[in-house]
């Protein structure tokens, strides 16, 4: 299954990408945190297992970083169970 990652920066800049795995999407968010000069320890970010569990209950996942940037992860096929 592929995952759509949408990012909305505080500046108004927006970015989206399709990732092959949930791990890839999470790594992209971690890279974003690093690029923004934020501390990963201070950001409330689920791990891969946590994201899988969350996406099995909900259609998508929304997160906000401490600098106001937010992101949205959506499985490409929202009707399929995440494995």
């Amino acid at each position: 299954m592929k995952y759509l990652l949408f990012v909305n920066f505080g500046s108004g800049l927006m970015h989206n990408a399709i990732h092959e795995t949930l791990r890839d999407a999470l790594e992209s968010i971690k890279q974003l945190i690093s690029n923004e000069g934020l501390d990963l320890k201070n950001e409330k970010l689920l791990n891969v297992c946590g994201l899988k569990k969350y996406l099995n209950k909900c259609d998508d996942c929304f997160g906000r970083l401490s600098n106001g940037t937010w992101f949205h992860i959506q499985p490409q096929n929202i009707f399929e169970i995440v494995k």
Side-chain angles (χ1 to χ4, degrees):
M1 177 182 311
K2 294 182 182 181
Y3 299 87
L4 173 63
L5 173 62
F6 180 82
V7 179
N8 186 357
F9 296 91
S11 66
L13 180 66
M14 294 178 224
H15 172 76
N16 63 50
I18 294 177
H19 294 279
E20 295 293 322
T21 67
L22 194 52
R23 184 173 305 281
D24 292 341
L26 185 59
E27 287 302 317
S28 182
I29 295 168
K30 288 179 180 178
Q31 185 63 47
L32 167 69
I33 289 169
S34 175
N35 291 348
E36 292 288 306
L38 303 174
D39 186 350
L40 181 61
K41 294 176 187 175
N42 294 333
E43 302 302 324
K44 295 176 182 163
L45 193 61
L46 293 172
N47 60 24
V48 173
C49 288
L51 278 172
K52 284 182 182 180
K53 287 179 185 177
Y54 187 86
L55 289 171
N56 277 327
K57 293 184 217 173
C58 303
D59 293 339
D60 57 0
C61 178
F62 173 83
R64 184 176 299 276
L65 302 180
S66 60
N67 68 352
T69 296
W70 59 264
F71 61 88
H72 176 258
I73 300 173
Q74 183 174 6
Q76 203 168 27
N77 180 355
I78 62 170
F79 302 107
E80 184 177 318
I81 301 290
V82 178
K83 295 178 183 175

Coordinates of all heavy atoms in Angstrom, one line a residue:
M1 N 0.8 -1.2 0.0 CA 0.0 0.0 0.0 C 0.9 1.2 0.0 O 1.9 1.3 0.6 CB -0.9 0.0 1.2 CG -1.7 1.2 1.3 SD -2.8 1.4 2.8 CE -3.6 -0.2 2.9
K2 N 0.5 2.3 -0.7 CA 1.2 3.5 -0.7 C 0.5 4.5 0.2 O -0.7 4.4 0.5 CB 1.3 4.0 -2.1 CG 2.1 3.1 -3.0 CD 2.2 3.7 -4.4 CE 3.0 2.7 -5.3 NZ 3.1 3.2 -6.7
Y3 N 1.3 5.6 0.6 CA 0.7 6.6 1.5 C 1.0 8.0 1.0 O 2.1 8.3 0.5 CB 1.4 6.4 2.9 CG 1.2 5.1 3.5 CD1 2.0 4.0 3.2 CD2 0.1 4.9 4.3 CE1 1.7 2.7 3.7 CE2 -0.2 3.7 4.9 CZ 0.6 2.6 4.6 OH 0.4 1.4 5.1
L4 N 0.0 8.8 1.0 CA 0.1 10.2 0.6 C 0.4 11.0 1.9 O -0.2 10.9 2.9 CB -1.3 10.7 0.1 CG -1.3 12.2 -0.2 CD1 -0.3 12.5 -1.3 CD2 -2.7 12.6 -0.7
L5 N 1.5 11.7 1.8 CA 1.9 12.7 2.8 C 1.8 14.1 2.3 O 2.3 14.4 1.3 CB 3.4 12.4 3.2 CG 4.0 13.4 4.2 CD1 3.3 13.4 5.6 CD2 5.5 13.1 4.4
F6 N 0.9 14.8 3.0 CA 0.7 16.2 2.7 C 1.3 17.1 3.8 O 1.0 16.8 5.0 CB -0.8 16.5 2.5 CG -1.1 17.9 2.1 CD1 -1.0 18.4 0.8 CD2 -1.4 18.8 3.1 CE1 -1.2 19.7 0.5 CE2 -1.7 20.2 2.8 CZ -1.6 20.6 1.5
V7 N 2.1 18.1 3.5 CA 2.7 19.0 4.5 C 2.3 20.4 4.2 O 2.3 20.8 3.0 CB 4.2 18.8 4.5 CG1 4.8 19.8 5.5 CG2 4.6 17.4 4.8
N8 N 1.8 21.1 5.2 CA 1.5 22.5 5.1 C 2.4 23.3 6.1 O 2.3 23.2 7.3 CB 0.0 22.8 5.4 CG -0.4 24.2 5.2 OD1 0.4 25.0 4.8 ND2 -1.7 24.4 5.4
F9 N 3.4 24.0 5.5 CA 4.3 24.8 6.3 C 3.7 26.1 6.8 O 2.7 26.6 6.2 CB 5.5 25.1 5.5 CG 6.3 23.9 5.1 CD1 6.0 23.3 3.8 CD2 7.3 23.4 5.9 CE1 6.8 22.2 3.4 CE2 8.0 22.3 5.5 CZ 7.7 21.7 4.2
G10 N 4.2 26.6 7.9 CA 3.7 27.9 8.5 C 3.8 29.0 7.5 O 3.0 30.0 7.6
S11 N 4.7 29.0 6.6 CA 4.9 30.0 5.6 C 3.8 30.0 4.5 O 3.7 30.9 3.7 CB 6.2 29.9 4.9 OG 6.3 28.7 4.2
G12 N 3.0 29.0 4.5 CA 2.0 28.8 3.4 C 2.4 27.9 2.3 O 1.6 27.5 1.5
L13 N 3.7 27.5 2.3 CA 4.2 26.6 1.3 C 3.6 25.2 1.6 O 3.5 24.8 2.8 CB 5.7 26.5 1.4 CG 6.4 25.5 0.5 CD1 6.3 26.0 -1.0 CD2 7.9 25.4 0.8
M14 N 3.2 24.5 0.6 CA 2.6 23.2 0.7 C 3.4 22.2 -0.1 O 4.0 22.5 -1.1 CB 1.2 23.2 0.3 CG 0.3 24.0 1.1 SD -1.4 24.0 0.5 CE -1.8 25.7 0.6
H15 N 3.5 20.9 0.4 CA 4.2 19.9 -0.3 C 3.4 18.6 -0.1 O 2.8 18.3 0.9 CB 5.6 19.7 0.3 CG 6.3 18.6 -0.2 ND1 6.9 18.5 -1.4 CD2 6.6 17.4 0.4 CE1 7.5 17.3 -1.6 NE2 7.3 16.6 -0.5
N16 N 3.4 17.7 -1.2 CA 2.9 16.4 -1.0 C 3.7 15.4 -1.7 O 4.4 15.8 -2.7 CB 1.4 16.4 -1.4 CG 1.2 16.7 -2.9 OD1 1.9 16.1 -3.7 ND2 0.3 17.6 -3.2
A17 N 3.6 14.2 -1.3 CA 4.4 13.1 -1.9 C 3.8 11.8 -1.6 O 3.1 11.6 -0.6 CB 5.8 13.1 -1.3
I18 N 3.9 10.8 -2.5 CA 3.5 9.5 -2.3 C 4.6 8.6 -1.9 O 5.7 8.6 -2.5 CB 2.8 8.9 -3.5 CG1 1.5 9.7 -3.8 CG2 2.5 7.4 -3.3 CD1 0.8 9.3 -5.1
H19 N 4.5 7.9 -0.8 CA 5.5 7.0 -0.2 C 5.1 5.6 -0.4 O 4.0 5.3 -0.2 CB 5.8 7.4 1.2 CG 6.4 8.7 1.4 ND1 7.8 9.0 1.2 CD2 5.9 9.9 1.7 CE1 8.0 10.3 1.4 NE2 6.9 10.9 1.7
E20 N 6.1 4.7 -0.7 CA 5.8 3.3 -0.8 C 5.4 2.6 0.4 O 4.7 1.6 0.4 CB 7.0 2.6 -1.5 CG 7.4 3.1 -2.9 CD 6.3 2.7 -3.9 OE1 5.7 1.6 -3.8 OE2 6.1 3.5 -4.8
T21 N 6.0 3.0 1.6 CA 5.7 2.4 2.9 C 5.4 3.5 3.9 O 5.8 4.7 3.8 CB 6.9 1.6 3.4 OG1 8.0 2.4 3.7 CG2 7.3 0.5 2.3
L22 N 4.8 3.0 5.0 CA 4.5 3.9 6.1 C 5.8 4.4 6.7 O 6.0 5.5 7.1 CB 3.6 3.2 7.1 CG 2.9 4.1 8.2 CD1 2.2 5.3 7.5 CD2 2.0 3.2 9.0
R23 N 6.8 3.5 6.8 CA 8.1 3.8 7.3 C 8.7 4.9 6.5 O 9.3 5.9 7.1 CB 9.0 2.6 7.3 CG 10.3 2.8 7.9 CD 11.2 1.5 8.1 NE 10.5 0.5 8.8 CZ 10.4 0.4 10.1 NH1 10.9 1.3 10.9 NH2 9.8 -0.7 10.7
D24 N 8.6 4.9 5.2 CA 9.1 6.0 4.4 C 8.5 7.3 4.6 O 9.1 8.3 4.7 CB 9.0 5.6 2.9 CG 9.8 4.5 2.4 OD1 10.8 4.1 3.1 OD2 9.5 3.9 1.4
A25 N 7.2 7.3 4.8 CA 6.4 8.5 5.2 C 6.9 9.1 6.5 O 7.1 10.3 6.6 CB 4.9 8.3 5.2
L26 N 7.1 8.2 7.5 CA 7.5 8.6 8.8 C 9.0 9.2 8.7 O 9.3 10.2 9.3 CB 7.5 7.5 9.8 CG 7.8 7.8 11.2 CD1 6.9 8.8 11.8 CD2 7.7 6.5 12.0
E27 N 9.8 8.5 7.9 CA 11.2 9.0 7.8 C 11.2 10.4 7.1 O 12.0 11.3 7.4 CB 12.0 8.1 7.0 CG 12.4 6.8 7.7 CD 13.2 7.1 9.0 OE1 14.1 8.0 9.0 OE2 12.9 6.5 10.0
S28 N 10.3 10.6 6.2 CA 10.1 12.0 5.6 C 9.7 13.0 6.6 O 10.3 14.1 6.6 CB 9.1 11.9 4.4 OG 9.0 13.1 3.8
I29 N 8.9 12.7 7.5 CA 8.4 13.6 8.5 C 9.6 13.9 9.5 O 9.9 15.0 9.9 CB 7.2 13.1 9.3 CG1 6.0 13.0 8.4 CG2 6.9 14.0 10.5 CD1 4.9 12.2 9.0
K30 N 10.4 12.8 9.8 CA 11.6 13.0 10.7 C 12.6 13.9 10.0 O 13.2 14.8 10.7 CB 12.2 11.7 11.0 CG 11.4 10.9 12.0 CD 12.0 9.5 12.3 CE 11.2 8.7 13.3 NZ 11.8 7.4 13.5
Q31 N 12.7 13.8 8.7 CA 13.7 14.6 8.0 C 13.2 16.1 8.0 O 13.9 17.0 8.1 CB 13.8 14.1 6.5 CG 14.9 14.9 5.7 CD 16.3 14.8 6.3 OE1 16.7 13.7 6.6 NE2 17.0 15.9 6.5
L32 N 11.9 16.2 7.8 CA 11.2 17.6 7.9 C 11.5 18.2 9.2 O 11.9 19.4 9.3 CB 9.7 17.5 7.6 CG 8.9 18.7 8.0 CD1 9.2 19.8 7.0 CD2 7.4 18.3 7.9
I33 N 11.4 17.4 10.3 CA 11.6 18.0 11.6 C 13.1 18.4 11.8 O 13.4 19.5 12.3 CB 11.3 16.9 12.7 CG1 9.8 16.7 12.8 CG2 11.9 17.2 14.1 CD1 9.3 15.5 13.6
S34 N 14.0 17.6 11.2 CA 15.4 18.0 11.3 C 15.7 19.3 10.4 O 16.4 20.2 10.9 CB 16.3 16.8 10.7 OG 17.6 17.2 10.6
N35 N 15.1 19.3 9.2 CA 15.3 20.4 8.3 C 14.7 21.7 8.9 O 15.3 22.8 8.6 CB 14.6 20.2 7.0 CG 15.3 19.1 6.2 OD1 16.5 18.7 6.5 ND2 14.7 18.7 5.1
E36 N 13.7 21.6 9.7 CA 13.1 22.8 10.3 C 13.8 23.2 11.6 O 13.4 24.2 12.2 CB 11.6 22.5 10.6 CG 10.7 22.3 9.4 CD 10.4 23.6 8.7 OE1 10.0 24.6 9.3 OE2 10.7 23.7 7.5
G37 N 14.8 22.5 12.0 CA 15.6 22.8 13.2 C 14.9 22.5 14.5 O 15.2 23.1 15.5
L38 N 14.0 21.6 14.4 CA 13.2 21.2 15.6 C 13.9 19.9 16.2 O 14.6 19.2 15.6 CB 11.8 20.8 15.2 CG 11.0 22.0 14.5 CD1 9.6 21.5 14.0 CD2 10.9 23.2 15.4
D39 N 13.6 19.7 17.5 CA 14.1 18.6 18.2 C 13.1 17.4 18.1 O 11.9 17.6 18.6 CB 14.4 18.9 19.7 CG 15.1 17.8 20.4 OD1 15.2 16.7 19.9 OD2 15.5 18.1 21.6
L40 N 13.5 16.3 17.6 CA 12.6 15.2 17.4 C 12.0 14.7 18.7 O 10.8 14.3 18.8 CB 13.3 14.0 16.7 CG 12.5 12.7 16.4 CD1 11.4 13.0 15.5 CD2 13.4 11.7 15.9
K41 N 12.7 14.8 19.8 CA 12.3 14.4 21.1 C 11.1 15.2 21.6 O 10.3 14.8 22.4 CB 13.4 14.5 22.1 CG 14.5 13.5 21.9 CD 15.6 13.7 22.9 CE 16.8 12.8 22.5 NZ 18.0 13.1 23.3
N42 N 11.0 16.5 21.2 CA 10.0 17.4 21.6 C 8.7 17.3 20.8 O 7.7 17.8 21.1 CB 10.5 18.8 21.6 CG 11.5 19.1 22.6 OD1 11.6 18.4 23.6 ND2 12.4 20.0 22.4
E43 N 8.8 16.6 19.6 CA 7.6 16.5 18.7 C 6.8 15.3 19.1 O 7.4 14.2 19.4 CB 8.1 16.5 17.3 CG 8.9 17.7 16.8 CD 8.2 19.0 17.0 OE1 6.9 19.1 16.8 OE2 8.9 20.0 17.4
K44 N 5.6 15.4 19.0 CA 4.7 14.2 19.4 C 4.5 13.4 18.1 O 3.5 13.7 17.4 CB 3.4 14.7 20.0 CG 3.6 15.4 21.3 CD 2.3 15.9 21.9 CE 2.7 16.6 23.2 NZ 1.6 17.5 23.6
L45 N 5.3 12.5 17.8 CA 5.3 11.7 16.6 C 5.1 10.2 16.9 O 5.9 9.7 17.7 CB 6.6 11.9 15.8 CG 6.7 11.5 14.4 CD1 5.6 12.2 13.5 CD2 8.1 11.8 13.8
L46 N 4.2 9.6 16.4 CA 4.0 8.1 16.6 C 5.1 7.4 15.8 O 5.6 7.8 14.8 CB 2.6 7.7 16.0 CG 1.4 8.2 16.7 CD1 0.1 7.8 16.0 CD2 1.3 7.7 18.2
N47 N 5.4 6.2 16.3 CA 6.3 5.3 15.6 C 5.5 4.5 14.5 O 4.2 4.7 14.4 CB 7.0 4.4 16.5 CG 6.1 3.5 17.3 OD1 5.0 3.2 16.9 ND2 6.6 3.0 18.5
V48 N 6.1 3.7 13.8 CA 5.5 3.0 12.7 C 4.3 2.1 13.2 O 3.2 2.1 12.7 CB 6.5 2.1 11.9 CG1 5.7 1.2 10.8 CG2 7.4 3.0 11.1
C49 N 4.6 1.3 14.3 CA 3.5 0.5 14.9 C 2.3 1.3 15.3 O 1.2 1.0 15.1 CB 4.1 -0.3 16.0 SG 5.2 -1.6 15.5
G50 N 2.6 2.4 16.0 CA 1.6 3.3 16.5 C 0.7 3.9 15.3 O -0.5 4.0 15.4
L51 N 1.4 4.3 14.2 CA 0.7 4.8 13.0 C -0.1 3.7 12.4 O -1.3 4.0 12.0 CB 1.7 5.3 12.0 CG 2.2 6.7 12.2 CD1 3.4 7.0 11.3 CD2 1.1 7.7 12.1
K52 N 0.4 2.5 12.3 CA -0.4 1.4 11.8 C -1.7 1.1 12.6 O -2.8 1.0 12.0 CB 0.4 0.1 11.7 CG 1.4 0.0 10.6 CD 2.2 -1.3 10.6 CE 3.2 -1.3 9.5 NZ 3.9 -2.6 9.5
K53 N -1.5 1.1 13.9 CA -2.7 0.9 14.7 C -3.7 2.0 14.6 O -4.9 1.8 14.5 CB -2.3 0.8 16.2 CG -1.6 -0.5 16.5 CD -1.2 -0.5 18.0 CE -0.4 -1.8 18.3 NZ 0.1 -1.8 19.7
Y54 N -3.2 3.2 14.5 CA -4.1 4.4 14.4 C -4.8 4.4 13.0 O -6.0 4.6 12.9 CB -3.3 5.7 14.5 CG -4.1 6.9 14.5 CD1 -4.7 7.4 15.7 CD2 -4.4 7.6 13.3 CE1 -5.5 8.5 15.7 CE2 -5.2 8.7 13.3 CZ -5.7 9.2 14.5 OH -6.6 10.3 14.5
L55 N -4.1 4.0 11.9 CA -4.7 4.0 10.6 C -5.6 2.8 10.4 O -6.5 2.9 9.5 CB -3.6 4.0 9.5 CG -2.8 5.3 9.4 CD1 -1.6 5.1 8.4 CD2 -3.7 6.4 8.9
N56 N -5.5 1.8 11.3 CA -6.5 0.7 11.2 C -7.8 1.1 11.8 O -8.9 0.6 11.5 CB -6.0 -0.5 11.9 CG -5.1 -1.4 11.0 OD1 -5.3 -1.4 9.8 ND2 -4.1 -2.0 11.6
K57 N -7.8 2.1 12.7 CA -9.0 2.7 13.3 C -9.6 3.9 12.6 O -10.8 4.1 12.5 CB -8.7 3.1 14.8 CG -8.4 2.0 15.7 CD -8.2 2.6 17.1 CE -7.1 1.9 17.8 NZ -6.8 2.5 19.1
C58 N -8.7 4.6 12.0 CA -9.1 5.9 11.3 C -8.7 5.9 9.9 O -7.8 5.2 9.5 CB -8.5 7.1 12.0 SG -8.8 7.2 13.8
D59 N -9.3 6.7 9.1 CA -9.0 6.8 7.7 C -7.7 7.5 7.4 O -7.1 7.3 6.3 CB -10.1 7.5 6.9 CG -11.4 6.8 6.9 OD1 -11.4 5.5 7.1 OD2 -12.4 7.4 6.7
D60 N -7.3 8.4 8.3 CA -6.1 9.2 8.0 C -5.5 9.6 9.3 O -6.1 9.4 10.4 CB -6.4 10.4 7.1 CG -7.5 11.2 7.7 OD1 -8.0 11.0 8.8 OD2 -7.8 12.3 7.0
C61 N -4.3 10.3 9.3 CA -3.6 10.7 10.5 C -3.2 12.2 10.3 O -2.6 12.5 9.2 CB -2.4 9.9 10.7 SG -1.5 10.4 12.2
F62 N -3.5 13.0 11.2 CA -3.1 14.4 11.2 C -2.2 14.7 12.3 O -2.4 14.2 13.4 CB -4.4 15.3 11.3 CG -4.1 16.8 11.5 CD1 -3.9 17.5 10.3 CD2 -4.0 17.4 12.7 CE1 -3.7 18.9 10.5 CE2 -3.8 18.7 12.9 CZ -3.6 19.5 11.7
G63 N -1.1 15.5 12.1 CA -0.2 15.8 13.1 C 0.3 17.3 12.9 O 0.3 17.8 11.8
R64 N 0.6 17.9 14.0 CA 1.1 19.3 14.0 C 2.4 19.3 14.7 O 2.6 18.8 15.8 CB 0.1 20.2 14.7 CG 0.4 21.6 14.7 CD -0.6 22.5 15.3 NE -1.9 22.4 14.6 CZ -2.3 23.1 13.5 NH1 -1.4 23.9 12.9 NH2 -3.5 23.0 13.0
L65 N 3.4 20.0 14.1 CA 4.7 20.2 14.7 C 4.7 21.5 15.6 O 3.8 22.4 15.4 CB 5.8 20.3 13.7 CG 5.9 19.1 12.7 CD1 7.0 19.3 11.7 CD2 6.1 17.8 13.5
S66 N 5.6 21.6 16.5 CA 5.7 22.7 17.4 C 5.8 24.1 16.7 O 5.5 25.1 17.3 CB 6.8 22.5 18.4 OG 8.1 22.4 17.8
N67 N 6.3 24.1 15.5 CA 6.5 25.4 14.8 C 5.2 25.8 13.9 O 5.3 26.8 13.2 CB 7.7 25.4 13.9 CG 7.6 24.4 12.7 OD1 6.7 23.7 12.6 ND2 8.6 24.5 11.8
G68 N 4.2 25.0 14.0 CA 2.9 25.3 13.3 C 2.8 24.5 12.0 O 1.7 24.5 11.4
T69 N 3.8 23.9 11.5 CA 3.7 23.1 10.3 C 2.9 21.9 10.7 O 3.0 21.3 11.8 CB 5.1 22.6 9.9 OG1 5.9 23.7 9.5 CG2 5.1 21.6 8.8
W70 N 2.0 21.5 9.8 CA 1.2 20.3 10.0 C 1.3 19.4 8.8 O 1.7 19.7 7.7 CB -0.3 20.7 10.3 CG -1.1 21.4 9.3 CD1 -1.3 22.8 9.3 CD2 -1.8 20.9 8.2 NE1 -2.0 23.1 8.2 CE2 -2.4 22.0 7.5 CE3 -2.0 19.6 7.7 CZ2 -3.2 21.9 6.4 CZ3 -2.8 19.5 6.5 CH2 -3.3 20.6 5.9
F71 N 1.0 18.1 9.1 CA 1.1 17.1 8.1 C -0.1 16.2 8.2 O -0.8 16.1 9.2 CB 2.4 16.3 8.2 CG 2.5 15.6 9.5 CD1 2.0 14.3 9.7 CD2 3.2 16.2 10.6 CE1 2.2 13.6 10.9 CE2 3.3 15.5 11.8 CZ 2.8 14.2 12.0
H72 N -0.4 15.5 7.1 CA -1.5 14.6 7.0 C -1.1 13.4 6.2 O -0.4 13.5 5.2 CB -2.7 15.3 6.2 CG -3.8 14.5 5.9 ND1 -4.1 13.9 4.7 CD2 -4.9 14.1 6.7 CE1 -5.2 13.3 4.7 NE2 -5.7 13.4 5.9
I73 N -1.3 12.2 6.8 CA -1.0 10.9 6.1 C -2.3 10.2 5.8 O -3.1 10.0 6.7 CB -0.1 10.0 7.0 CG1 1.2 10.8 7.4 CG2 0.2 8.7 6.3 CD1 2.0 10.0 8.4
Q74 N -2.4 9.8 4.6 CA -3.6 9.0 4.2 C -3.1 7.8 3.3 O -2.4 8.0 2.3 CB -4.5 9.9 3.4 CG -5.8 9.2 3.0 CD -6.8 10.1 2.3 OE1 -6.5 11.3 2.0 NE2 -7.9 9.6 2.1
P75 N -3.6 6.6 3.7 CA -3.3 5.5 2.8 C -4.0 5.8 1.4 O -5.0 6.3 1.4 CB -4.0 4.3 3.5 CG -4.1 4.7 4.9 CD -4.3 6.2 4.9
Q76 N -3.3 5.3 0.4 CA -3.8 5.6 -0.9 C -5.2 4.9 -1.1 O -6.1 5.4 -1.7 CB -2.9 5.1 -2.0 CG -3.1 5.8 -3.3 CD -1.9 5.5 -4.3 OE1 -1.2 4.5 -4.2 NE2 -1.7 6.5 -5.2
N77 N -5.3 3.7 -0.5 CA -6.6 3.0 -0.5 C -7.1 3.0 0.9 O -6.8 2.1 1.7 CB -6.5 1.6 -1.1 CG -7.8 0.9 -1.1 OD1 -8.8 1.4 -0.6 ND2 -7.8 -0.3 -1.6
I78 N -7.9 3.9 1.3 CA -8.4 4.1 2.7 C -9.3 3.0 3.2 O -9.6 2.9 4.3 CB -9.0 5.5 2.9 CG1 -10.3 5.6 2.1 CG2 -8.1 6.6 2.7 CD1 -11.1 6.8 2.5
F79 N -9.7 2.1 2.3 CA -10.6 1.1 2.6 C -9.9 -0.3 2.9 O -10.5 -1.2 3.3 CB -11.7 0.9 1.6 CG -12.5 2.1 1.3 CD1 -12.4 2.8 0.2 CD2 -13.4 2.6 2.3 CE1 -13.1 4.0 0.0 CE2 -14.1 3.7 2.1 CZ -14.0 4.5 1.0
E80 N -8.6 -0.3 2.7 CA -7.8 -1.5 3.0 C -7.2 -1.4 4.3 O -6.7 -0.4 4.8 CB -6.7 -1.6 1.9 CG -5.9 -2.8 1.9 CD -4.9 -2.9 0.8 OE1 -5.3 -2.5 -0.3 OE2 -3.8 -3.2 1.0
I81 N -7.1 -2.5 5.1 CA -6.5 -2.6 6.4 C -5.0 -2.5 6.2 O -4.4 -3.1 5.4 CB -6.9 -4.0 7.1 CG1 -8.4 -4.1 7.2 CG2 -6.2 -4.1 8.4 CD1 -9.0 -3.2 8.2
V82 N -4.3 -1.7 7.1 CA -2.9 -1.5 7.1 C -2.3 -2.8 7.7 O -2.7 -3.2 8.7 CB -2.5 -0.3 7.9 CG1 -1.0 -0.2 7.9 CG2 -3.1 0.9 7.3
K83 N -1.3 -3.4 7.0 CA -0.6 -4.6 7.5 C 0.8 -4.3 7.9 O 1.4 -3.4 7.5 CB -0.6 -5.7 6.4 CG -2.0 -6.1 6.0 CD -2.0 -7.1 4.9 CE -3.5 -7.4 4.6 NZ -3.6 -8.3 3.5

